């Protein structure tokens, strides 16, 4: 069983990832870090509680306050048109008096408890994860693997023509993580845009009654994607695919390259992810390489998603 500490900006596809994690017995969520991104950090916290209660997640899973603003010093922008007013599509979670949140250093206890068993999965901006490398650089070396949903390599972005949302939101944070972290796997739009879930798939999954809110969430999300591109047969579950990468390596086609992100805040290139594929001029400029998923085997994704989500 993979012990996963999940950093998320709990919007619609983050929620699909949480439902997937709850139904997949290979995954044990050992902590949830609520970050700004698709939604405000406050909405990320209330969405985490809403989903944890609805799907009966173990009560002892700590919910940790993550980043509220990016390292760039900007005010974050949210995306209600994609994820809904509060990040759950049409659903407005009511105030939950029982919300109990832990401070950021609770993450250190989790890392010390699980050590090299721990897998970190980042499905939002990289601000919280970068902060961990700034505050606890040596301790972070204990973490077994880091998976991040982000980037777009030589394919169009989704927030600008070149940049993917998680990398665009805080490009400084991405470069900090890529500088210090080892064992990083990047799941970019190259792979996630292939992880399409269609309305027909959702209806079939919904008929099994295990996923409760999946249908209204995906209807809201798919409406946005199909309005932008009517040829799309459904919408990409970026974050659920990233969770799958922790368990099913041969679902993905990987190559490893040094990666940098354009962190010039103004201008058209902000957030562009660059994989350095040219051969090294000389051996001593060999930079750290990160594993990048450039494609997936859609049949394996489809089979896994359908079998897990129908319980
Ligand atoms: C990423 O940004 C968010 O919109 C999604 O939740 C996903 O994590 C896709 O670019
Ligand atoms: Ca996300």
């Amino acid at each position: 069983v993979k012990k996963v500490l999940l950093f998320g900006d709990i919007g619609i596809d983050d929620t699909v990832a949480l439902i997937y994690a709850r139904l997949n017995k290979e995954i044990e969520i050992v902590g949830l870090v609520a970050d700004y991104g698709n939604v405000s950090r406050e909405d990320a916290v209330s969405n985490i509680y809403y989903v944890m209660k609805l799907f009966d997640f173990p009560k002892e899973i700590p919910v940790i306050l993550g980043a509220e603003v990016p390292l760039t010093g900007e005010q974050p922008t949210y995306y209600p048109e994609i994820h809904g007013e509060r990040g759950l599509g049409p659903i407005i979670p009511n105030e939950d008096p029982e919300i109990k949140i832990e401070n950021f250093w609770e993450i250190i206890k989790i890392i010390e408890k699980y050590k090299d068993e721990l897998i970190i999965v980042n499905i939002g901006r990289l601000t919280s994860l970068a902060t961990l490398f700034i505050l606890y650089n040596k301790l972070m070396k204990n973490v077994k693997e880091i998976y991040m949903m982000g980037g777009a390599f030589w394919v169009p972005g989704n927030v600008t023509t070149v940049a993917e949302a998680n990398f665009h939101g805080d490009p400084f944070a991405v470069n900090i993580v890529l500088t210090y972290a080892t064992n990083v796997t990047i799941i970019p739009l190259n792979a996630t845009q292939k992880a399409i879930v269609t309305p027909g798939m959702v209806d079939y999954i919904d008929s099994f009654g295990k996923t409760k809110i999946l249908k209204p969430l995906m209807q809201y999300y798919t409406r946005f994607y199909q309005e932008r591109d009517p040829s799309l047969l459904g919408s990409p579950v970026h974050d659920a695919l990233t969770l799958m990468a922790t368990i099913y390596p041969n679902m993905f086609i990987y190559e490893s390259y040094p990666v940098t992100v354009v962190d010039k805040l103004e201008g058209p290139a902000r957030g562009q992810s660059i994989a350095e594929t040219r051969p090294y001029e000389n051996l001593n400029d060999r930079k750290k390489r990160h594993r990048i998923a450039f494609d997936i085997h859609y049949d394996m994704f489809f089979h896994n998603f359908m079998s897990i989500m129908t319980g």
Side-chain angles (χ1 to χ4, degrees):
V1 175
K2 304 286 181 182
K3 308 242 189 272
V4 171
L5 173 60
L6 190 70
F7 293 67
D9 55 333
I10 310 299
I12 289 182
D13 69 313
D14 306 74
T15 301
V16 174
L18 283 178
I19 298 170
Y20 178 86
R22 183 72 183 90
L23 295 173
N24 188 327
K25 302 200 178 5
E26 299 275 309
I27 296 175
E28 179 190 350
I29 299 286
V30 297
L32 287 164
V33 182
D35 285 324
Y36 80 93
N38 292 326
V39 298
S40 68
R41 180 178 67 179
E42 288 67 30
D43 277 343
V45 169
S46 71
N47 293 348
I48 283 174
Y49 266 89
Y50 179 83
V51 174
M52 285 180 77
K53 280 196 170 168
L54 189 63
F55 289 91
D56 197 20
F57 275 76
K59 297 221 178 333
E60 60 277 2
I61 296 176
V63 177
I64 296 147
L65 268 190
E68 198 168 359
V69 293
L71 294 177
T72 60
E74 301 159 311
Q75 275 310 313
T77 43
Y78 309 131
Y79 294 88
E81 69 281 8
I82 306 176
H83 295 276
E85 189 190 327
R86 302 283 298 280
L88 292 174
I91 300 166
I92 306 293
N94 42 34
E95 287 307 303
D96 180 344
E98 288 165 37
I99 284 191
K100 181 176 160 314
I101 37 186
E102 308 295 337
N103 286 311
F104 193 69
W105 41 86
E106 177 73 21
I107 296 175
I108 301 313
K109 288 188 209 155
I110 292 172
I111 293 174
E112 286 171 344
K113 178 177 178 185
Y114 293 101
K115 292 192 182 56
D116 62 359
E117 260 194 296
L118 187 68
I119 295 177
I120 285 181
V121 178
N122 200 101
I123 55 175
R125 284 41 171 173
L126 279 297
T127 313
S128 287
L129 193 53
T131 304
L132 281 168
F133 279 100
I134 291 167
L135 294 177
Y136 305 102
N137 195 280
K138 284 183 193 52
L139 184 83
M140 290 302 285
K141 305 238 182 293
N142 293 315
V143 173
K144 178 179 174 112
E145 290 178 286
I146 292 177
Y147 290 80
M148 62 173 74
M149 191 279 131
F153 296 87
W154 308 300
V155 295
N158 60 0
V159 71
T160 69
T161 48
V162 294
E164 177 280 327
N166 287 339
F167 280 19
H168 182 273
D170 191 345
F172 293 164
V174 189
N175 282 329
I176 286 170
V177 176
L178 294 178
T179 299
Y180 290 118
T182 52
N183 282 346
V184 172
T185 298
I186 299 172
I187 309 293
L189 292 183
N190 305 64
T192 66
Q193 66 193 2
K194 306 281 182 68
I196 295 293
V197 173
T198 65
M201 290 163 71
V202 171
D203 288 345
Y204 183 72
I205 288 169
D206 186 57
S207 70
F208 283 71
K210 298 268 195 304
T211 52
K212 303 178 189 176
I213 55 171
L214 182 76
K215 187 164 177 176
L217 289 178
M218 288 302 289
Q219 281 175 332
Y220 189 98
Y221 191 55
T222 301
R223 187 183 48 69
F224 168 80
Y225 272 92
Q226 289 184 327
E227 263 168 16
R228 264 196 344 178
D229 175 358
S231 72
L232 266 181
L233 299 177
S235 38
V237 288
H238 307 281
D239 295 339
L241 183 74
T242 304
L243 266 184
M244 291 179 181
T246 66
I247 314 169
Y248 312 107
N250 36 13
M251 188 186 288
F252 299 78
I253 289 97
Y254 286 120
E255 290 184 26
S256 295
Y257 296 113
V259 175
T260 50
V261 174
V262 174
D263 53 18
K264 226 157 49 71
L265 298 189
E266 304 307 324
R270 172 181 172 148
Q272 181 171 15
S273 40
I274 315 275
E276 295 173 31
T277 56
R278 68 189 187 304
Y280 292 96
E281 278 72 44
N282 49 51
L283 278 185
N284 63 18
D285 77 355
R286 182 173 294 287
K287 290 190 194 132
K288 184 187 294 183
R289 292 163 171 251
H290 297 297
R291 190 168 66 156
I292 306 167
F294 281 98
D295 205 343
I296 60 169
H297 294 291
Y298 184 77
D299 50 345
M300 293 176 76
F301 160 76
F302 177 89
H303 173 76
N304 180 268
F305 190 77
M306 297 308 281
S307 55
I308 296 292
M309 297 298 258
T310 51

